[in-house]
Amino acid sequence: MISMTSRDFLEMPIADLIISSEKVAHVQLGNNAEHALLVLTKTGYSSIPVLDAGYRLQGLLSMRMITESILGLDHIEYEKLDNIKVNDIMETKVATLNINDKFQKALDLVINHAFLCVVDDEERFVGIMTRRVILKQLKKHIYQFNA
Ligand code: AMP
């Protein structure tokens, strides 16, 4: 077996490791918080991308952001969900990779994020790269390297 050097490994393109956009649960700008809550609950994901009509990445939305937006003084104001837009509560600072980035960049960024959004040169959303996928690759490399 030919084992990759660590340099080759870190310079590996990320393109093959991406979960493609059509398999990624997302919400769109203008959707309300009730819809987003349904998507998050049904998929079981803690956070999902927010895209515009042109499939450009605009932010991330998590269950916590929704809950915080309807927290009243002594109870949760569920009736507000309908009137809150995802645009008003999403996080706009998103850890992003370009489709042409190398594995090293993903490894650096994923330390602080459960997943990274991937965009193309026109800033269109092409998918995500999860910490799970990155750790699996790293484990494979370490085991092969030490075999
Ligand atoms: P995982 O590594 O599979 O546990 O995924 C980590 C996080 O990545 C999840 O909590 C979600 O926020 C996000 N994620 C993973 N897969 C998807 C998907 N298919 N659609 C949307 N978000 C996802």
Side-chain angles (χ1 to χ4, degrees):
M1 190 198 341
I2 303 169
S3 69
M4 251 192 211
T5 65
S6 293
R7 174 58 42 211
D8 291 342
F9 175 70
L10 291 172
E11 284 178 2
M12 175 172 75
I14 59 162
D16 292 343
L17 304 173
I18 292 169
I19 299 174
S20 64
S21 56
E22 61 273 16
K23 293 187 188 140
V24 177
H26 72 273
V27 287
Q28 290 215 336
L29 284 186
N31 284 160
N32 65 26
E34 185 172 23
H35 173 75
L37 183 61
L38 276 174
V39 176
L40 283 164
T41 306
K42 288 207 160 181
T43 58
Y45 295 129
S46 48
S47 168
I48 51 174
V50 181
L51 308 180
D52 67 14
Y55 241 63
R56 284 183 181 76
L57 181 66
Q58 301 295 323
L60 286 184
L61 193 77
S62 69
M63 197 66 102
R64 185 185 55 77
M65 293 168 202
I66 297 176
T67 314
E68 274 185 354
S69 73
I70 55 171
L71 260 193
L73 279 182
D74 55 7
H75 71 290
I76 296 179
E77 298 169 345
Y78 290 104
E79 65 284 0
K80 282 188 171 172
L81 282 172
D82 197 25
N83 294 319
I84 298 170
K85 298 275 181 255
V86 296
N87 330 20
D88 301 327
I89 56 173
M90 67 187 185
E91 170 62 79
T92 53
K93 273 188 245 136
V94 185
T96 306
L97 292 166
N98 178 280
I99 183 84
N100 299 310
D101 280 335
K102 309 286 186 232
F103 192 82
Q104 180 159 20
K105 172 124 185 246
L107 194 55
D108 289 343
L109 287 177
V110 87
I111 289 167
N112 293 318
H113 306 277
F115 71 98
L116 305 166
C117 290
V118 186
V119 298
D120 66 15
D121 290 337
E122 275 84 49
E123 297 292 317
R124 263 190 305 269
F125 178 71
V126 293
I128 60 171
M129 201 170 168
T130 62
R131 188 180 278 157
R132 184 195 302 271
V133 166
I134 293 171
L135 284 176
K136 260 173 129 175
Q137 290 299 316
L138 195 56
K139 178 179 163 188
K140 204 165 103 187
H141 175 70
I142 290 169
Y143 284 15
Q144 275 177 6
F145 200 65
N146 293 318

